[in-house]
């Protein structure tokens, strides 16, 4: 390795920006972040872009540390053996360490007609296109939102508050993560906004046409604009590059977030699958995992043993238009508590969470190493129960890679 260590970060989302900023703690580390857009996209705001209440972009200049190089491009392949990445524009970029933070989106729907006629909101481009489709549609046009998770709920509420005629097709339970008490509050708010909520397995969408959706029970509902928020998907870059992934395509890592195939590759955010037991996808989790991934690299550079990830999820926030939200409190094992905050107070907490998700990045840029997060004691027990506790893991939670143990 050269005297100066070059770390390439793939992805400029919450995880990638947090990691890039944190890596600047060392003067002998050069950081390049590769991102397909020249601006940061706060994904927590994409449903607001669809509703016309936020543009969902932030200038990288305000959240990236001064020493981080930004390359606006896409990575098409990782050459782990050669320690380089190929760019869509041509050429390659070499690295000493690679931080894999490509994020996530909605899985490509396999329902007949969905790919052709349904719209997604998981990217800036998709959300912007949907905004233009809605602007071109009559105000009274029927809108269907497929998926009863946070994205579906937030999108349905945002559009209904704008006066749209919205049906939310859950395909199961409305807000499955929520405590029943909070779920009733969400259902009540959606009803007041005029959203028709259809729950249960019979409400799964089985086909999409240009002007309708067909359900599992045979019903066909008019839908001039169909919005698809169901399912989970990650870019297939790791799999295409010959790196091992989980069933969803996340990069498989150990508990330090190091690739099981290569100790010079560390993953963070929604695209990481530590011990094949990934964390719940969220902006909060992505930022924390990004910080821990950077710490793993920094510890290796310092000749120290990286620690296992330790992360507790304190809450989930779901907006219900601009004037209400549910702030669902959670236990350390990431299960919902009875306690939640709703209404206008919930909306203020939601807005604070969205603002802080970006502010934390800016703070880390100004003072790298400052970001901290709640820890929990349940991860080790989860691994033990699933038979995934690594035998080399110590009581302090430190993990050594196969290469380190052999050295």
């Amino acid at each position: 390795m050269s005297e100066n260590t070059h770390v390439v970060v793939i992805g400029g989302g919450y995880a990638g920006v947090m990691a890039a900023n944190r890596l600047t703690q060392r003067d002998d580390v050069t950081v390049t972040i590769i991102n397909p857009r020249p601006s940061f996209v706060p994904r927590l705001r994409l449903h607001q872009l669809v509703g016309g209440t936020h543009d969902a972009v932030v200038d990288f200049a305000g959240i990236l540390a001064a020493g981080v190089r930004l390359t606006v491009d896409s990575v098409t392949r990782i050459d782990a053996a050669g320690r380089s990445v190929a760019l869509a524009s041509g050429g390659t970029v070499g690295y000493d360490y690679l931080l894999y933070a490509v994020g996530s989106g909605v899985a490509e729907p396999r329902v007949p007609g969905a790919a052709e006629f349904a719209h997604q909101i998981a990217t800036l481009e998709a959300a912007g296109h949907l905004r233009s489709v809605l602007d071109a549609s009559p105000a009274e046009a029927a809108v269907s939102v497929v998926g009863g998770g946070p994205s579906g709920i937030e999108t349905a509420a945002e559009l209904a508050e704008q006066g749209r005629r919205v049906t939310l097709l859950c395909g199961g339970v409305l807000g499955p993560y929520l405590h029943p008490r909070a779920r009733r509050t969400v259902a009540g708010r959606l009803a007041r906004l005029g959203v028709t909520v259809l729950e249960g397995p019979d409400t799964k969408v089985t086909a999409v046409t240009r002007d309708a959706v067909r359900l599992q029970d045979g019903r066909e509902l008019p839908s001039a604009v169909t919005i698809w928020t169901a399912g989970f998907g990650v870019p297939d870059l790791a799999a295409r590059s010959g790196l091992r992934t989980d069933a969803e395509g996340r990069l498989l890592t150990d508990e330090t977030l190091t690739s099981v195939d290569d100790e010079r590759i560390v993953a963070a955010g929604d695209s990481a699958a530590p011990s094949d037991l990934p964390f719940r996808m969220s902006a909060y989790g992505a930022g924390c995992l990004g910080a821990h991934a950077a710490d793993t690299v920094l510890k290796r550079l310092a000749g120290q043993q990286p620690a296992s990830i330790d992360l507790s999820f304190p809450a989930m926030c779901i907006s219900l238009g601009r004037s209400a939200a549910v702030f669902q409190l959670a236990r350390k094992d990431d299960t919902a508590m009875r306690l939640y905050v709703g209404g206008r107070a919930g909306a203020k907490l939601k807005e604070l969470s969205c603002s802080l998700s970006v502010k934390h990045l800016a703070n880390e840029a100004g003072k790298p190493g400052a970001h901290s997060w709640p820890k929990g004691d349940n991860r080790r027990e989860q691994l033990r129960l699933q038979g995934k506790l690594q035998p080399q893991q110590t009581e302090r939670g430190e993990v050594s890679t196969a290469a380190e143990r052999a050295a």
Side-chain angles (χ1 to χ4, degrees), residues 110 190 293 405:
R110 297 182 179 179
L190 291 174
R405 295 196 302 277

Side-chain angles (χ1 to χ4, degrees), residues 15-352:
V17 172
M18 178 63 76
N21 289 342
R22 200 171 184 91
L23 286 164
T24 62
Q25 291 177 76
R26 289 182 61 124
D27 293 335
D28 60 349
V29 173
T30 300
V31 184
T32 298
I33 189 166
I34 302 174
N35 191 65
R37 303 173 192 86
S39 299
F40 174 78
V41 178
R43 285 185 58 186
L44 296 175
R45 303 284 195 183
L46 286 177
H47 66 284
Q48 288 186 252
L49 173 58
V50 172
T53 60
H54 202 283
D55 59 7
V57 291
V58 172
D59 192 337
F60 270 125
I63 61 171
L64 268 184
V68 176
R69 303 171 181 171
L70 172 64
T71 297
V72 181
D73 211 327
S74 297
V75 174
T76 59
R77 188 170 180 83
I78 300 167
D79 179 2
R83 290 183 193 164
S84 67
V85 297
L87 301 179
S89 61
T92 61
V93 177
Y95 65 82
D96 295 308
Y97 281 91
L98 182 69
L99 207 144
Y100 188 82
V102 298
S104 65
V106 175
E108 191 66 32
R110 297 182 179 179
V111 170
E116 182 179 2
F117 298 114
H119 304 275
Q120 298 188 10
I121 66 165
T123 67
L124 180 69
E125 293 77 14
H129 174 70
L130 174 56
R131 177 69 254 164
S132 65
V133 169
L134 288 165
D135 285 344
S137 301
E140 66 277 9
V143 177
S144 296
V145 178
V146 182
S151 294
I153 293 170
E154 291 186 328
T155 303
E158 199 78 23
L159 294 178
E161 196 172 61
Q162 301 295 320
R164 291 285 178 175
R165 185 160 59 93
V166 181
T167 299
L168 179 60
L169 302 165
C170 299
V173 177
L174 173 70
Y177 177 88
L178 299 172
H179 188 278
R181 295 177 70 240
R183 189 175 299 126
R184 287 192 291 271
T185 294
V186 170
R189 170 65 177 175
L190 291 174
R192 288 191 293 276
L193 288 172
V195 178
T196 300
V197 177
L198 300 182
E199 296 185 79
D202 286 345
T203 65
K204 288 183 179 178
V205 174
T206 58
V208 180
T209 65
R210 189 180 303 276
D211 54 10
V213 292
R214 188 174 301 118
L215 307 185
Q216 183 75 45
D217 60 9
R219 281 182 290 174
E220 190 166 291
L221 307 179
S223 180
V225 180
T226 301
I227 304 171
W228 200 277
T229 70
F232 167 86
V234 296
D236 64 351
L237 176 61
R240 282 191 285 111
S241 302
L243 299 169
R244 278 181 284 178
T245 66
D246 71 357
E248 305 295 335
R250 305 176 184 92
L251 184 68
L252 280 176
T253 75
D254 64 16
E255 286 295 288
T256 72
L257 303 182
T258 302
S259 166
V260 297
D261 296 312
D262 190 330
E263 68 177 23
R264 295 300 184 99
I265 300 176
V266 182
D270 294 344
S271 55
S275 301
D276 202 9
L277 188 64
F279 291 92
R280 169 164 60 85
M281 54 188 292
S282 69
Y284 156 79
C288 298
L289 290 169
H292 187 89
D295 288 346
T296 290
V297 173
L298 293 171
K299 282 183 179 268
R300 287 216 169 91
L301 292 177
Q304 301 172 1
Q305 194 81 284
S308 296
I309 181 65
D310 189 359
L311 171 62
S312 176
F313 285 74
M316 173 186 278
C317 308
I318 301 178
S319 67
L320 300 168
R322 296 299 86 217
S323 59
V326 160
F327 187 86
Q328 171 71 72
L329 278 296
R331 303 180 184 88
K332 286 188 175 182
D333 64 355
D334 196 24
T335 58
M337 301 169 61
R338 285 177 55 85
L339 184 62
Y340 72 96
V341 180
R344 291 188 178 276
K348 289 181 179 180
L349 288 172
K350 168 67 175 179
E351 181 58 31
L352 178 63

